[in-house]
Amino acid sequence: MPQDPYPLLGTTPEATERDVRRAYRARLFELEESAAGQADFPSKKADLDAALAQALEHAKPNVAAEAPKLTEADAKRTPEATRKIATRFGIGLLVIAALFVAWQVARDKLVDPYGDSPVETSGWIAAIEDTGTGGRAVVFKADGTKISAPMDRAATSDSEVVWRPDGNRIFVVGSRGESSFDIYRWNPADGRFESRTLGSMSKTALHYGPADWPDLTASGLLVSGGQVYDYDQRTREMHQVLPPEFKERRTEGSATEGEGTLGQMEAMYKEIGTSFVQAIWGKERKWIWCVMTSEAGQVLVYQPMEAPKTEAGTDPGLPRPFKVLEADRIELTVDADGQAFVTTTGQTTLDLDVTLGYMEKYQEALTKRTESAGLERVGSESERTAMLASIEELVRKELISLERAARGARVYLVFGDGGPRAGIQPIAGLASASTTFSQPAASPGDDRVAVVVRSKNPTTGKMEPGLVVLSRSGNPVGVTQGEVANPTWSPDGKRLTFTMKDASGKRGLFVADLEGKRLTQIGKDGNYSHPRFSPQD
């Protein structure tokens, strides 16, 4: 064994254990390369091993490498470096988000490349002008300038105009050389006029809302084939909403157009009506107000759209619809709170099952009639049950007869929040055989409603028409007298636009300033209908 192991290992007495073992591995590799297979290889390796053992006995223990000391400059640079890393990370997230938004915009542009460019339309009024051969959509700017919709075909018959809730586009319901009525989207700023529906079925009664819905421009309700559809103007697709489908989904414009669940109208609405005429969303899309045709005339229907809570895994479907009232003719408008203002013409029947005021009358009359009948003296249970049923039917018929006795028209306020059981209120002091009401328009900011009124002059006996504004209390405020039609409000609730017939029979377009009590005619040379203020303030 060598007395001094360090020359053999190639180290010094100051070497650590790690240095000694590293030197040993290097010397062993050299030995194996030069002396492997020679007779003296075992003895040389034994000497190397002994030198390793001897050196390890005196080697210094391993120490962890000391971390470099930070200078004052380094300490100052560290927070700055951290901030730079955080900044770069934040910029990266923003870039990713921007790319995602750009992808969504590009996708929407591919689907609907002309739908979102903004147009300033504050104070504009859209309407239908009678051309003598049909209707044509027009719009009047705030300065009175008229813009007419393009007429790409000779046979043009536009019937309705509806502003998109952002005021950037006008939707026109009409027939342009086709047998059916379609929906067209018009940008008056650049003149672009394009069809925005699929399929061959006629579409009518387009209505957007409610005002509190986050994406108002995405979809609205319309009526097609006597059913209610949710209409997406971006994709042009329509999905059936009412009556609810239970067996299969039907999308107009698809290969299955014209097919659908058989018997759905009979299954859910057979005791209410036969087909839909109008549908308007309630607040937060929690319910829909509908007008349906019936054998007796028309029916106001309240359809809750929130399914009741059930056990997990079950699908209860929509709650049943409520029949609120029935009349010869019903006209409907809905305010921002989802409450319905309704005018009725002819005999009106309130549904006693859903109207608290009449249910109270019913219970009161039933109690009195039962007490006077001496029901407690009737012998058998079956006889008492039969007599009670007879009394209930008699009371019901009496109450219905009382309500039907009020002929002519009425104006009702039907409370939507909480369902029709929350109450139905005839507007006070307006039910009269010599007064009729029609074409209600709810104010956008309060509980007022504008209605067209016709009252009999007690002296001449003639029906004198005009336009009034009613509050919930029913107190009327006259706006103007004359053959008024189609009133609608400005978005600030300070003005009304409507048409009024002159001596020649033409309907001029007017704006009434309710605060300044001024009446201004617009488009003096035309014959107009269905005016609508732009929703832009």
Side-chain angles (χ1 to χ4, degrees), residues 43-302:
S43 62
K44 290 182 178 181
K45 184 176 184 304
D47 291 343
L48 188 62
D49 292 341
L52 173 64
Q54 188 177 355
L56 287 175
E57 290 180 1
H58 303 284
K60 294 181 178 181
N62 296 325
V63 293
E66 294 184 2
K69 294 182 179 180
L70 293 176
T71 65
E72 185 177 351
D74 292 333
K76 291 181 179 179
R77 281 196 299 267
T78 300
E80 181 65 25
T82 303
R83 284 194 293 271
K84 287 182 178 180
I85 294 173
T87 300
R88 291 168 183 170
F89 181 74
I91 292 174
L93 290 179
L94 290 175
V95 170
I96 294 173
L99 289 174
F100 179 72
V101 171
W103 173 81
Q104 286 187 315
V105 171
R107 180 197 60 185
D108 292 341
K109 287 294 184 182
L110 290 174
V111 174
D112 185 12
Y114 306 108
D116 294 325
S117 55
V119 179
E120 175 58 47
T121 63
S122 178
W124 292 21
I125 298 175
I128 298 294
E129 181 178 13
D130 186 353
T131 63
T133 59
R136 184 180 186 180
V138 298
V139 64
F140 288 91
K141 293 184 176 182
D143 61 4
T145 303
K146 184 175 77 171
I147 303 174
S148 299
M151 291 183 63
D152 54 346
R153 300 182 184 181
T156 296
S157 180
D158 298 336
S159 61
E160 300 176 60
V161 286
V162 180
W163 285 95
R164 201 168 69 181
D166 59 9
N168 288 330
R169 299 291 183 274
I170 300 172
F171 289 95
V172 180
V173 179
S175 174
R176 297 202 161 213
E178 305 292 342
S179 59
S180 62
F181 280 79
D182 290 323
I183 295 177
Y184 300 86
R185 190 176 63 194
W186 178 28
N187 181 355
D190 62 13
R192 184 173 295 277
F193 195 92
E194 55 185 343
S195 173
R196 296 305 301 173
T197 50
L198 301 171
S200 58
M201 295 174 62
S202 289
K203 297 91 179 170
T204 60
L206 175 62
H207 191 279
Y208 280 92
D212 54 8
W213 193 247
D215 192 0
L216 266 178
T217 63
S219 64
L221 293 178
L222 58 77
V223 176
S224 181
Q227 298 172 328
V228 178
Y229 288 84
D230 184 64
Y231 162 63
D232 188 334
Q233 57 96 15
R234 294 173 180 170
T235 64
R236 304 194 294 174
E237 292 182 347
M238 293 163 37
H239 300 292
Q240 185 173 320
V241 177
L242 295 177
E245 293 181 295
F246 297 102
K247 293 182 181 179
E248 65 179 276
R249 183 166 184 155
R250 167 182 167 179
T251 302
E252 194 191 357
S254 66
T256 59
E257 179 181 345
E259 300 176 4
T261 304
L262 297 178
Q264 47 191 318
M265 187 71 73
E266 293 79 8
M268 199 164 188
Y269 287 87
K270 64 180 180 180
E271 296 182 358
I272 298 179
T274 56
S275 63
F276 291 90
V277 176
Q278 185 183 16
I280 303 177
W281 282 112
K283 191 173 184 180
E284 298 176 353
R285 296 199 178 191
K286 292 182 178 180
W287 63 87
I288 296 178
W289 293 107
C290 310
V291 176
M292 299 183 69
T293 58
S294 67
E295 294 182 357
Q298 292 185 332
V299 180
L300 176 66
V301 179
Y302 173 92

Side-chain angles (χ1 to χ4, degrees), residues 476-498:
V477 176
V479 177
T480 188
Q481 290 184 325
E483 289 281 356
V484 176
N486 309 126
T488 58
W489 293 84
S490 63
D492 59 6
K494 297 179 180 180
R495 293 172 294 165
L496 282 165
T497 181
F498 49 86

